[in-house]
């Protein structure tokens, strides 16, 4: 049964390999991708229930005992994020059938998507810090393909920036892992936690903790390391943007969350205060960016930056309430960002422009799209009873419990900025006189974009309204994060 936990990594990988045998056969590509993702979704949902009822599941390769073998660890944090990632990828693939274009589909688009999912799921599940680097590289190499697929001038220009930032980040990652290994003499994450506890986190370990914050902060786009994100994410097609926005930065957030709750927990007055300050500045930077642009893609992209700050603010509190909130908000943000990118992608598809000033009056022709977008926008801004409200409320409550009063108030005020930024899209895009729509023949097939977007919005609504049923799983995840011994005992007893 323990080998079952590897299926969310193995299935996308094997499906991607099979897809490469017939890259020009569109029916084969689409059908096999859907079958692989549906089976992976079922396995991921089953894994959540297994972990909830039976506890953390661990596989250590080669029958070596931990920490000598490479461990894969399915705790509630990992399986919730894996399941969310697989669901988002499934809907993105359905959305891609109409939006990505035949030329891109024939150029290894679906293998790229599945290999990126393999890297994302592996990063969430690995129990080895060097393997975390390996899975980062897997997802990054796939993302390089997806960022340039189609070969448009803007994509190629911006992909160079994206690749350069990640190459530098990866080099620093390896150096930091080497420094950590030189101090603790192990790469197993559970064993690292035990070793650091034994030596009570001397100054060198705290320094390594800050280096990890730089490494993962580049990938998560925290202040001031988010400079590459808006233009790099805006260049690829909308389905690729949805995958990047929903998944890639969240792997960086997860890596900060995992290391700052498992490793660097003995000097939180220093490390976590830096994390708190950077999270607040990240929210401020995202708010300024979201209000300063009239590009619909960039408004939602800057809201990614805001959400990263909110989640890490919750992590920095290191108390039960805020950690549950951070975990809940992380899953919420992955779902809602994908849904919003789908919806603004439909707006771009119908109008032929990304510029809000050139849109208008779509309410008359597409009222259902308008109201669906408004529900998603309210969810992002945290209007009750939608999912954004519950996660943010818990994070702010945890901030007050930790006596971070002013920064918690700033989190609440930032919700107004988020609401203003996304309501601008609604007002400019759907109200007023109808300014422009592309020719009727080009709008055909609109429903093939609208259906996956609407279902994903409905999932986010259920995620908020059904929070009572979801909270036990979030408490399991927070318990693992706040009590490192739960994780280390599960891994090292193997």
């Amino acid at each position: 049964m323990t080998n079952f936990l590897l299926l969310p990594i193995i299935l996308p990988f094997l499906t991607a390999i099979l897809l490469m045998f017939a890259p020009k056969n569109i029916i084969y590509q689409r059908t096999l991708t859907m079958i692989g993702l549906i089976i992976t979704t079922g396995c991921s949902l089953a894994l959540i229930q297994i972990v909830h009822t039976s506890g953390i599941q661990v596989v250590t390769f080669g029958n070596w005992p931990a920490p000598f073998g490479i461990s894969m660890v399915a705790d509630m944090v990992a399986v919730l994020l894996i399941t969310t990632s697989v669901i988002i990828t499934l809907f993105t693939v359905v959305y891609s059938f109409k939006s990505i274009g035949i030329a891109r589909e024939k150029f290894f688009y679906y293998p790229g998507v599945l290999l990126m999912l393999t890297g994302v799921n592996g990063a969430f599940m690995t129990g080895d810090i060097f393997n975390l680097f390996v899975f980062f590289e897997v997802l990054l190499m796939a993302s390089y393909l997806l960022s340039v697929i189609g070969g448009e001038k803007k994509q190629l220009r911006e992909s160079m920036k994206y690749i350069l930032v990640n190459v530098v980040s990866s080099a620093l990652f390896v150096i930091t892992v080497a420094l950590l290994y030189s101090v603790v003499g192990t790469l197993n994450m559970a064993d690292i936690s035990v070793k650091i506890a034994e030596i009570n986190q001397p100054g060198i370990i705290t320094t390594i903790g800050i280096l990890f914050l730089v490494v993962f902060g580049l990938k998560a786009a925290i202040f001031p390391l988010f400079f590459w994100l808006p233009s790099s994410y805006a260049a690829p097609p909308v389905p690729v943007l949805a995958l990047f926005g929903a998944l890639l930065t969240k792997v960086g957030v997860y890596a900060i969350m995992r290391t700052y709750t498992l490793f660097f927990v003995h000097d939180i007055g220093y490390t976590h205060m830096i994390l708190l300050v950077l999270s607040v500045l990240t929210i401020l930077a995202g708010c300024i960016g979201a209000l300063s642009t009239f590009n619909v893609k960039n408004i939602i992209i800057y809201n990614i930056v805001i959400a990263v700050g909110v989640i890490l603010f919750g992590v920095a509190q290191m108390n039960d309430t805020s950690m549950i909130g951070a975990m809940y908000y992380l899953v919420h943000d992955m779902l809602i960002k994908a849904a919003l990118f789908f919806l603004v992608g439909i707006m771009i598809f119908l109008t032929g422009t990304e510029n809000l000033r050139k849109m208008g009056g779509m309410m008359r022709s597409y009222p259902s799209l308008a109201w669906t977008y408004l529900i998603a926008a309210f969810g992002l801004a945290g209007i009750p009873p939608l999912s954004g409200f519950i996660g943010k409320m818990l994070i702010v409550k945890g901030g007050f419990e930790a006596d971070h009063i002013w920064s918690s108030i700033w989190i609440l005020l930032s919700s107004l900025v988020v609401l203003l930024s996304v309501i601008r899209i609604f007002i400019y895009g759907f109200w007023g006189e109808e300014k422009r729509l592309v020719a009727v023949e080009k709008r055909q097939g609109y429903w093939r974009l609208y259906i996956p977007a609407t279902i994903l919005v409905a999932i986010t609504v259920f995620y908020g309204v059904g929070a009572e049923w979801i909270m036990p799983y979030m408490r399991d995840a927070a318990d693992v994060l706040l009590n490192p011994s739960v994780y280390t005992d599960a891994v090292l007893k193997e």
Side-chain angles (χ1 to χ4, degrees):
M1 177 60 76
T2 52
N3 289 327
F4 183 78
L5 67 91
L6 299 176
L7 288 180
I9 302 169
I10 293 170
L11 286 173
F13 179 72
L14 290 179
T15 308
I17 298 299
L18 292 173
L19 288 174
M20 291 182 187
F21 287 105
K24 307 300 182 186
N25 188 328
I26 299 299
I27 301 299
Y28 172 78
Q29 293 280 309
R30 291 180 175 182
T31 305
L32 192 60
T33 302
M34 286 299 295
I35 291 170
L37 285 172
I38 289 168
I39 295 171
T40 307
T41 303
C43 293
S44 302
L45 289 168
L47 192 56
I48 287 179
Q49 204 55 41
I50 290 169
V51 172
H52 183 59
T53 55
S54 304
I56 297 173
Q57 304 295 302
V58 182
V59 169
T60 303
F61 297 141
N63 287 326
W64 288 89
F68 305 107
I70 295 174
S71 297
M72 303 299 288
V73 185
D75 64 351
M76 190 55 74
V77 179
V79 295
L80 284 172
L81 297 180
I82 285 170
T83 304
T84 308
S85 300
V86 176
I87 290 170
I88 288 168
T89 306
L90 176 63
F91 282 102
T92 302
V93 165
V94 176
Y95 188 89
S96 299
F97 293 162
K98 174 63 181 173
S99 59
I100 198 69
I102 298 293
R104 287 187 173 98
E105 286 184 285
K106 290 182 176 180
F107 199 77
F108 302 100
Y109 170 70
Y110 296 112
V113 168
L114 290 169
L115 287 172
M116 194 180 95
L117 181 63
T118 302
V120 169
N121 288 352
F124 288 145
M125 194 178 286
T126 185
D128 182 282
I129 192 70
F130 185 77
N131 252 33
L132 180 61
F133 164 76
V134 171
F135 281 117
F136 261 115
E137 293 308 297
V138 171
L139 70 90
L140 285 173
M141 284 188 284
S143 73
Y144 298 156
L145 166 68
L146 295 174
S147 67
V148 300
I149 199 166
E152 295 176 5
K153 183 178 179 181
K154 182 182 178 183
Q155 285 180 254
L156 296 172
R157 183 182 69 244
E158 295 301 333
S159 67
M160 291 304 297
K161 184 194 303 179
Y162 174 70
I163 292 169
L164 183 61
V165 165
N166 280 293
V167 166
V168 172
S169 174
S170 297
L172 186 58
F173 193 173
V174 173
I175 292 168
T176 308
V177 169
L179 281 171
L180 183 61
Y181 182 77
S182 71
V183 177
V184 297
T186 182
L187 295 170
N188 182 285
M189 290 163 71
D191 200 34
I192 291 170
S193 177
V194 171
K195 292 289 197 320
I196 291 176
E198 287 174 354
I199 57 178
N200 198 29
Q201 191 172 330
I204 183 63
I205 295 291
T206 301
T207 303
I208 291 168
I210 300 303
L211 284 174
F212 270 121
L213 186 57
V214 173
V215 170
F216 299 137
L218 264 171
K219 299 181 187 298
I222 66 171
F223 180 88
L225 306 171
F226 68 95
F227 59 89
W228 58 272
L229 182 131
S231 56
S232 296
Y233 275 21
V238 169
V240 176
L241 167 58
L243 276 179
F244 284 12
L247 304 186
L248 292 193
T249 50
K250 304 310 183 296
V251 181
V253 170
Y254 162 80
I256 294 172
M257 182 183 283
R258 179 68 80 186
T259 53
Y260 269 61
T261 57
L262 189 62
F263 300 168
F264 313 112
V265 293
H266 307 282
D267 190 14
I268 60 174
Y270 183 78
T271 53
H272 289 60
M273 184 54 67
I274 290 176
L275 182 61
L276 186 147
V277 171
L278 290 178
S279 68
V280 171
L281 292 173
T282 301
I283 295 168
L284 176 62
C287 288
I288 293 169
L291 293 179
S292 65
T293 179
F294 280 87
N295 183 296
V296 287
K297 283 184 179 179
N298 281 336
I299 290 172
I300 308 301
I301 288 169
Y302 277 111
N303 272 284
I304 295 173
V305 178
I306 296 171
V308 167
V310 172
I311 296 161
L312 293 179
F313 178 84
V315 174
Q317 309 310 310
M318 288 298 284
N319 60 40
D320 190 57
T321 305
S322 63
M323 200 62 76
I324 293 172
M327 200 57 222
Y328 188 94
Y329 197 86
L330 176 54
V331 174
H332 145 81
D333 193 66
M334 293 169 75
L335 292 168
I336 202 72
K337 286 298 190 306
L340 282 166
F341 281 125
F342 287 174
L343 291 166
V344 298
I346 297 171
M347 294 172 69
I348 294 166
F349 172 77
L350 295 173
T351 61
T353 181
E354 299 175 7
N355 190 336
L356 271 180
R357 293 190 181 99
K358 296 179 181 178
M359 295 182 182
M362 280 191 285
M363 175 76 80
R364 190 171 304 166
S365 302
Y366 299 96
S368 58
L369 174 64
W371 298 120
T372 304
Y373 172 82
L374 190 63
I375 291 169
F378 283 165
L380 180 69
I383 303 297
L386 300 172
S387 54
F389 168 76
I390 297 158
K392 195 168 286 187
M393 178 193 69
L394 290 169
I395 289 170
V396 170
K397 185 170 181 284
F400 282 121
E401 288 175 5
D403 290 329
H404 296 134
I405 308 298
W406 291 110
S407 51
S408 299
I409 291 172
W410 166 236
I411 302 293
L412 290 173
L413 292 176
S414 71
S415 296
L416 298 176
V417 178
V418 171
L419 181 62
L420 177 60
S421 69
V422 289
I423 287 298
R424 282 169 68 221
I425 297 178
F426 183 75
I427 293 171
Y428 275 84
F430 294 101
W431 284 5
E433 293 185 9
E434 195 171 283
K435 288 187 179 179
R436 61 183 286 174
L437 287 172
V438 297
V440 174
E441 61 272 14
K442 289 187 177 180
R443 285 182 264 155
Q444 290 176 354
Y446 148 81
W447 60 272
R448 293 170 63 188
L449 300 176
Y450 179 69
I451 288 174
T454 304
I455 294 172
L456 199 52
V457 172
I459 290 172
T460 67
V461 172
F462 171 77
Y463 184 65
V465 174
E468 185 179 350
W469 295 292
I470 294 164
M471 274 303 161
Y473 302 97
M474 296 299 163
R475 289 194 184 93
D476 287 352
D479 187 50
V480 173
L481 292 170
L482 288 171
N483 300 291
S485 60
V486 175
Y487 184 96
T488 57
D489 290 348
V491 177
L492 298 178
K493 73 177 175 60
E494 290 294 308

